[in-house]
Amino acid sequence: MRDCLILGQILAFEGDPAQLGVGSVRHDRRGAVHVRDGRIAAAGDADRLRAAAPGAKVIDHGDALILPGFIDAHAHYPQTAIIASWGKRLIEWLNTYTFPEEGRFGDPDYAARIAARYMDLVLAHGTTTVASYCTIHPESADAYFAEAQRRGMRMLAGKTCMDRDTAPGFLRDSAQSAYDDSAALIDRWHGMDRLSYIVTPRFSPTSTEAQLEALGALWAAHPDCLMQTHISEQVDEVDWVKSLYPTARDYLDTYEAHGLLGPNALFGHAIHLEPREIDRLAEVDAALVHCPTSNTFIGSGLFDMGLRDRLRVGLATDTGGGSSFSMLRTMAAAYEVAQLRGTALHPSELVWLATGGSAAALRLGDRIGRLAAGYEADLVVLDLASTPAIAQAVARAGDIWQAVFPTIMMGDDRAVTEVYVAGRPVSAGRD
Ligand code: GUN
Ligand code: ZN
């Protein structure tokens, strides 16, 4: 499909509405996205775009809302099958549920099966880009990238590195093999089609200093890669880091001392940061990732959205620590967490976090996450009345934000009527 006009309501963001104001977001009640060769040629008023592209194929989604595909800035695809596991906090949750499951991903067939299941699930929920952790096995990263490539998706991931005896023996690599395997994966996948490799030490407690050092060197050799890890998710974890790294100034210092801090760094959770850590993260322009369903599910704490004033912040499910594959559900949890901290996030801010905000955190803000000319045509189409409960609330809406908010709070995969990956409808592949 070379040239296509996709009709529906549209919301086109120029940037973060928390900074630019909600008035900066353009709403077209009868809008259109003109897609050509996998990219957005234009977005705006449907009549105007139809007149400008008379030969284009038209797909009309009626009153449904067209947004950029959702961007999940932190997830663990190998934890797909253990989502919603009961009763543990972080460290016990890792040992009880996560590590045994991750141990299965040395089997390429199993890894391929879960990668396919995972991508079916995220697309069904309207997510078109994910930054995922894999397992220590290079096979797990190969499976993810191969599946994403087959679907034409813009996807990011890295082999998770763990070599300390705090991780089980069956899930340990070494400083050298982590370097070598990650370097080979970068050669194989980074920059191929729409794929990007992320250097991925799991977190300080499961790496030796030698491994952090090796990964710092690898990142320095590939500075265009992102680096992702976890920081300050639970108080017990922060105390654990202090005991494992007694000379470090704080948690962030365990990364910085080994070359793992910079403008392309992505830190997941970041709930219990100290003032020095925040200052330093802002100074180097690192990004944070807010994982609200995980932070409530595992009992970690309430992320401070005020950090947005100083740092790029993305939004993420953190599946399977997070309890949903849905970025709608994740926006709802972000709203609830902010309410518990005394702030009501506007629907425009929630949509931005799941699209342009996550894109900016991933340094992809010039390619995905907006309905604007030149952007890649990854789109989600949302039915704003997908259940009776949502429909009766929307019937009273006075403007587009009141019409979107019930779907943010109560919507799920039933709201997703279509998803486009690089301009191609995903439903067409299912026929
Ligand atoms: N910290 C280290 N590994 C993990 C993980 O897999 N999930 C979460 N939520 N936190 C982590
Ligand atoms: Zn995580």
Side-chain angles (χ1 to χ4, degrees):
M1 194 181 305
R2 263 200 89 245
D3 212 8
C4 170
L5 273 171
I6 303 169
L7 308 189
Q9 301 198 62
I10 64 166
L11 283 171
F13 291 70
E14 278 175 27
D16 186 350
Q19 281 156 20
L20 304 179
V22 66
S24 67
V25 185
R26 177 190 170 120
H27 172 228
D28 284 286
R29 181 84 185 68
R30 282 294 296 159
V33 181
H34 180 193
V35 174
R36 187 185 298 132
D37 292 333
R39 286 183 186 273
I40 297 172
D45 175 69
D47 291 339
R48 188 173 59 80
L49 266 61
R50 283 183 96 143
K57 173 177 172 171
V58 174
I59 303 174
D60 193 345
H61 291 288
D63 280 343
L65 175 66
I66 306 168
L67 291 175
F70 297 134
I71 301 169
D72 187 343
H74 178 129
H76 299 254
Y77 98 83
Q79 298 170 11
T80 296
I82 57 116
I83 193 168
S85 292
W86 184 83
K88 307 287 183 198
R89 292 169 69 87
L90 177 61
I91 297 161
E92 254 197 293
W93 174 84
L94 286 170
N95 288 319
T96 309
Y97 299 119
T98 309
F99 290 155
E101 176 63 11
E102 291 195 9
R104 302 177 70 176
F105 283 72
D107 172 357
D109 291 338
Y110 187 70
R113 205 156 68 241
I114 299 295
R117 182 189 302 172
Y118 177 73
M119 287 180 212
D120 282 346
L121 282 166
V122 297
L123 285 170
H125 286 87
T127 298
T128 48
T129 292
V130 183
S132 184
Y133 290 63
C134 300
T135 66
I136 65 146
H137 313 95
E139 293 87 346
S140 70
D142 285 331
Y144 176 95
F145 283 126
E147 188 62 34
Q149 186 180 41
R150 198 175 68 69
R151 296 169 190 247
M153 296 170 74
R154 179 161 288 291
M155 294 285 269
L156 309 88
K159 177 200 111 73
T160 298
C161 300
M162 301 198 276
D163 71 333
R164 207 186 256 264
D165 60 7
T166 45
F170 63 87
L171 264 191
R172 263 183 250 153
D173 50 14
S174 68
Q176 188 66 51
S177 75
Y179 186 101
D180 294 343
D181 288 346
S182 304
L185 287 163
I186 290 171
D187 286 347
R188 199 142 65 240
W189 295 110
H190 186 61
M192 162 88 79
D193 297 333
R194 303 182 74 202
L195 310 176
S196 301
Y197 191 83
I198 312 183
V199 176
T200 306
R202 181 177 214 117
F203 64 159
S204 299
T206 47
S207 287
T208 62
E209 299 202 40
Q211 178 168 80
L212 296 179
E213 194 72 29
L215 293 174
L218 178 70
W219 193 28
H222 298 278
D224 63 317
C225 286
L226 300 179
M227 188 287 304
Q228 64 182 350
T229 192
H230 298 85
I231 194 165
S232 298
E233 180 176 358
Q234 292 208 338
V235 171
D236 290 356
E237 171 210 7
V238 176
D239 292 343
W240 193 25
V241 169
K242 282 188 180 137
S243 73
L244 292 171
Y245 295 83
T247 61
R249 283 175 290 182
D250 45 39
Y251 199 157
L252 184 66
D253 198 31
T254 65
Y255 296 123
E256 181 166 14
H258 301 101
L260 293 169
L261 178 64
N264 283 348
L266 263 182
F267 291 96
H269 302 282
I271 301 169
H272 307 286
L273 294 173
E274 295 173 14
R276 189 206 80 87
E277 296 178 296
I278 296 167
D279 290 345
R280 188 71 188 123
L281 287 160
E283 198 170 65
V284 305
D285 191 22
L288 305 183
V289 187
H290 180 23
C291 309
T293 71
S294 170
N295 296 341
T296 52
F297 182 74
I298 310 186
S300 303
L302 306 178
F303 179 82
D304 177 8
M305 199 45 90
L307 292 169
R308 263 186 318 178
D309 296 343
R310 301 182 60 195
L311 287 148
R312 286 169 297 124
V313 174
L315 187 67
T317 62
D318 190 34
T319 47
S323 54
S324 174
F325 295 97
S326 169
M327 289 297 285
L328 290 171
R329 174 73 197 103
T330 305
M331 288 180 234
Y335 179 79
E336 290 161 351
V337 166
Q339 280 283 56
L340 286 168
R341 293 194 62 119
T343 304
L345 296 175
H346 189 268
S348 63
E349 297 177 63
L350 296 166
V351 172
W352 174 256
L353 280 169
T355 55
S358 280
L362 299 178
R363 297 278 183 208
L364 291 170
D366 57 349
R367 295 183 185 205
I368 55 172
R370 286 180 56 205
L371 301 184
Y375 277 65
E376 297 170 4
D378 294 336
L379 310 171
V380 58
V381 183
L382 295 175
D383 174 359
L384 296 182
S386 60
T387 69
I390 294 172
Q392 60 88 41
V394 165
R396 295 175 169 227
D399 65 19
I400 182 63
W401 301 115
Q402 289 172 14
V404 170
F405 194 55
T407 289
I408 290 176
M409 292 310 298
M410 295 190 283
D412 53 30
D413 50 338
R414 288 169 291 180
V416 176
T417 59
E418 185 58 281
V419 174
Y420 294 83
V421 171
R424 284 221 321 267
V426 168
S427 64
R430 287 193 220 114
D431 296 340

